Amino acid sequence: MADDSKKAGNPKRPNGLRSDEWFARQDSYGFIYRSWMKNQGHAARMFDGKPVVGICNTWSEFTPCNGHLRGLAEHVKRGVLEAGGFPLEFPVTSLSEPLMRPTTMLFRNLASMDVEASIRSQPMDGVVLLAGCDKTTPACLMGAASVDLPTLLVSGGPMLSGRYEGRMLGSGTDVIRFKDAVAAGTMSIPEFMAAEAAMSRSAGSCMTMGTASTMASLCEGLGIALPQNGAIPAVDSRRQALAFEAGRRAVQMVREDLRMSQVLTRNAFANAVRLNAALGGSTNAVVHLLALAGRLGVDFTLDDWDKYGRDVPCLVNLMPSGQYLMEDFYYAGGVPAVLQQIASFLDLEQPTVAGLTMGQAIADAKVFDRKVIFEVTEPFKPIGGIAVLRGNLSPNGAVIKPSAATPALMRHRGQAVTFSSADDLKKRIHDPDLEVDEHSILVLKNCGPRGYPGMAEIGNLPIPAKLLQQGVTDMVRISDARMSGTAFGTVVLHVAPEAAAGGPLALVEDGDWIELDVAERRLHLDVSDEELARRRTALVPLQSPYTRGWEKLYADHVLQADQGVDMDFLVGGSGDYVPRESH
Ligand code: FES
């Protein structure tokens, strides 16, 4: 049905608002729409042509990183009211990184469908997205982008720095270190357990530059969040003030008709990739931004990650690549200060939801601590970006984060030690009889989008215990899985096509020689084409254990990592116009 909703003088929208189609009517539908809403105590004047701002909340007590978002929503509401709007909060699916099985990534697209349907089907003119934990941010952005209302995102903010026995503890990053220390026999189980409360000591998301902090920061680079969204700690009162300002801006954005698609252009994505390089951000941002671009029809590809991030050094000394944490990062100047350091790489004319260009938004930013935020001329690490590797082992690409890798291993030739699945890995990796040494390359198969399913964060395979005990701290690891943004190591991820989709990764056997050359962007399996063809004929396709429900739909329709792991039927958008009434 034709969308005549935006025609000038549309009698269904006397105030020029989408919500008019519900609340400005004089008929029985209007009666129903207003009457039931009034049972919540809303006065008649609230339906008088005020822009309705939906507050899309991923709060859940099962998602501890978002556990404080109900409170934050109240500050958004104050801002909406102050600007003359009508705030209405609604819940959507929340995704708990620490708790959900088998992996939250299996449900990112499902949550995005919930966000899209909730926004599209209900009477709102603008949206404030409240997100925090890793997948809640991309899920909200993707779903909202497919509707394309005036929208901005407010992150929950990171936890305060962890503190244990006089040293700082970083979310996730130190869990990995402690796990290795326990396996190597240098940390006792009571010590290990005592560190739990010390690590997560306030509301908020992981306070390393993991996926949550990366995505919250990249929202600033994309221009879809207000300045300082990335780093203000969750419990700092300035986070609440930011939520208030977001509510105000949402109302103004409705009046300006500033939609997501006007902010999230190709150059906005390029800015975000450059920022990610300067931050040493998470590899997970690769799939999330590709999926988001797909929803908006923006021409942005995996190779753009390499192209735009290649010349930008890592400026930020934060775990997992460095030493400090998000709290320190905020005090050092936060994301605007980093954007200003790399201003010469950015499109400063990009619009942002602040109502300013990117250049205006960062004009007054300052660096207050050079131990945390370095200069481009004297960077923290010379290479910041995500490198995209190609070769006969990853014809459609694979990624590595050089800033988290060991420089000596960035060019390496080694023999494969293969694991056919996550279960096989768990069973054998610490087996004293496993034939492996520090030069081996660990290869994990069938952990990609379809194979796991859900592309688990297990690409940073553990170092075999017997090598840890010899003092080995890093090895080349290759898989079709993802890696937690809080993890580190010389880890090649997102190999596409994945093993379960018949990618060459499925053909690797123990003892095969593999060559990794990050400078040359090369990932090569040194096996003849004839031998690979022979192995392919003998390959038994992986059978998905899922025969029903969301998991089956996911396995049948999920796209590969180089396409953002979205569902094939979710690419693009449906817009905000819904021609039928409520029945
Ligand atoms: Fe939620 Fe890290 S587990 S942000």
Side-chain angles (χ1 to χ4, degrees):
M1 198 175 290
D3 176 3
D4 61 355
S5 61
K6 295 183 191 118
K7 280 186 190 155
N10 179 351
K12 290 182 178 172
R13 298 189 176 192
N15 304 298
L17 295 171
R18 178 175 185 264
S19 60
D20 285 349
E21 295 201 23
W22 283 262
F23 297 143
R25 306 169 66 131
Q26 304 294 315
D27 58 6
S28 61
Y29 286 107
F31 180 101
I32 291 166
Y33 297 145
R34 290 183 300 271
S35 172
W36 263 258
M37 287 296 285
K38 284 177 178 175
N39 84 344
Q40 298 179 98
H42 300 302
R45 71 172 68 245
M46 299 310 289
F47 303 92
D48 225 4
K50 290 181 170 46
V52 177
V53 173
I55 302 170
C56 175
N57 203 337
T58 55
W59 166 85
S60 165
E61 288 183 343
F62 283 104
T63 309
C65 315
N66 296 14
H68 60 303
L69 295 186
R70 284 300 314 284
L72 202 60
E74 295 305 318
H75 294 273
V76 178
K77 286 180 194 173
R78 288 187 201 175
V80 173
L81 290 166
E82 203 258 358
F86 182 9
L88 292 169
E89 183 185 354
F90 62 98
V92 289
T93 305
S94 192
L95 302 174
S96 174
E97 203 65 28
L99 301 188
M100 289 183 87
R101 295 181 176 185
T103 174
T104 47
M105 187 62 179
L106 178 59
F107 305 108
R108 182 200 64 177
N109 301 337
L110 178 64
S112 81
M113 290 168 72
D114 180 4
V115 171
E116 178 180 345
S118 296
I119 294 173
R120 192 164 186 268
S121 64
Q122 301 189 95
M124 62 192 88
D125 304 297
V127 185
V128 177
L129 305 166
L130 286 185
C133 198
D134 294 14
K135 307 302 181 298
T136 57
T137 300
C140 283
L141 290 172
M142 290 160 64
S146 289
V147 188
D148 196 22
L149 287 176
T151 300
L152 73 168
L153 185 137
V154 175
S155 300
M159 289 187 261
L160 297 176
S161 302
R163 294 271 172 183
Y164 178 64
E165 294 189 343
R167 56 171 283 221
M168 287 204 293
L169 289 190
S171 311
T173 306
D174 276 302
V175 181
I176 297 164
R177 289 199 179 116
F178 290 163
K179 190 174 75 169
D180 287 350
V182 170
T186 57
M187 186 180 205
S188 70
I189 292 291
E191 284 172 326
F192 181 71
M193 294 178 71
E196 288 172 5
M199 181 172 288
S200 307
R201 66 189 182 94
S202 83
S205 50
C206 291
M207 79 319 246
T208 42
M209 186 48 81
T211 305
S213 295
T214 298
M215 291 305 296
S217 300
L218 294 192
C219 283
E220 286 189 58
L222 287 164
I224 200 71
L226 296 179
Q228 295 294 8
N229 176 72
I232 303 174
V235 295
D236 190 310
S237 52
R238 287 166 285 190
R239 173 71 52 188
Q240 298 169 344
L242 181 124
F244 174 86
E245 293 297 342
R248 289 188 74 243
R249 269 303 296 160
V251 176
Q252 292 162 356
M253 285 171 65
V254 172
R255 295 190 171 125
E256 296 161 7
D257 199 24
L258 178 60
R259 292 173 184 253
M260 287 184 89
S261 55
Q262 291 162 266
V263 175
L264 297 176
T265 63
R266 178 174 163 77
N267 284 0
F269 282 91
N271 281 352
V273 169
R274 285 165 168 146
L275 173 61
N276 191 69
L279 296 173
S282 166
T283 47
N284 283 323
V286 174
V287 291
H288 298 327
L289 262 56
L290 289 172
L292 177 60
R295 296 297 183 98
L296 292 153
V298 172
D299 175 24
F300 171 73
T301 66
L302 181 62
D303 289 325
D304 289 325
W305 272 95
D306 202 308
K307 177 178 167 186
Y308 292 113
R310 199 168 193 143
D311 302 329
V312 182
C314 177
L315 304 184
V316 172
N317 180 7
L318 294 182
M319 291 187 205
S321 300
Q323 180 183 358
Y324 293 96
L325 293 167
M326 290 301 287
E327 194 182 338
D328 309 299
F329 181 42
Y330 177 53
Y331 304 147
V335 177
V338 176
L339 286 166
Q340 201 188 58
Q341 300 299 298
I342 59 167
S344 62
F345 294 96
L346 302 176
D347 178 354
L348 298 175
E349 295 306 314
Q350 272 298 299
T352 72
V353 293
L356 306 168
T357 64
M358 176 60 74
Q360 291 167 332
I362 63 173
D364 298 327
K366 288 191 181 66
V367 176
F368 299 106
D369 189 343
R370 283 289 178 195
K371 295 192 300 303
V372 180
I373 301 176
F374 287 55
E375 293 181 66
V376 170
T377 48
E378 279 185 71
F380 175 55
K381 296 194 178 187
I383 306 171
I386 305 271
V388 176
L389 309 169
R390 289 185 192 270
N392 68 346
L393 192 47
S394 57
N396 293 347
V399 302
I400 186 169
K401 180 176 169 182
S403 65
T406 302
L409 289 173
M410 302 265 269
R411 186 155 184 253
H412 183 75
R413 179 176 160 86
Q415 284 184 286
V417 176
T418 65
F419 300 90
S420 61
S421 68
D423 296 331
D424 184 35
L425 172 74
K426 204 168 175 185
K427 201 160 62 188
R428 295 195 294 120
I429 188 68
H430 295 308
D431 184 340
D433 295 329
L434 184 70
E435 288 193 29
V436 64
D437 63 29
E438 74 266 37
H439 306 296
S440 303
I441 294 182
L442 305 179
V443 176
L444 175 63
K445 310 175 186 181
N446 295 314
C447 290
R450 265 196 240 168
Y452 190 70
M455 207 182 178
E457 285 190 336
I458 53 175
N460 57 320
L461 289 73
I463 307 287
K466 67 178 180 183
L467 297 183
L468 283 172
Q469 283 153 9
Q470 292 166 22
V472 176
T473 54
D474 195 9
M475 298 173 72
V476 174
R477 290 159 270 178
I478 299 173
S479 75
D480 45 16
R482 294 175 304 117
M483 169 172 89
S484 164
T486 61
F488 50 88
T490 310
V491 184
V492 176
L493 304 154
H494 306 190
V495 169
E498 65 178 308
L505 193 68
L507 308 178
V508 182
E509 294 184 357
D510 286 341
D512 287 350
W513 286 94
I514 295 176
E515 292 166 11
L516 167 69
D517 190 334
V518 177
E520 294 294 321
R521 302 295 195 259
R522 184 163 180 266
L523 186 62
H524 180 71
L525 177 61
D526 198 1
V527 175
S528 70
D529 290 345
E530 295 73 33
E531 172 60 12
L532 290 177
R534 188 196 66 74
R535 291 182 191 178
R536 185 168 291 286
T537 56
L539 194 65
V540 180
L542 189 83
Q543 290 300 317
S544 169
Y546 296 103
T547 55
R548 66 169 298 280
W550 167 253
E551 286 86 351
K552 173 156 173 49
L553 189 66
Y554 179 91
D556 288 350
H557 291 277
V558 71
L559 298 169
Q560 292 292 289
D562 58 305
Q563 296 169 291
V565 201
D566 204 355
M567 314 290 275
D568 52 13
F569 59 83
L570 289 176
V571 174
S574 300
D576 68 79
Y577 180 59
V578 184
R580 290 198 170 134
E581 316 285 1
S582 310
H583 288 288

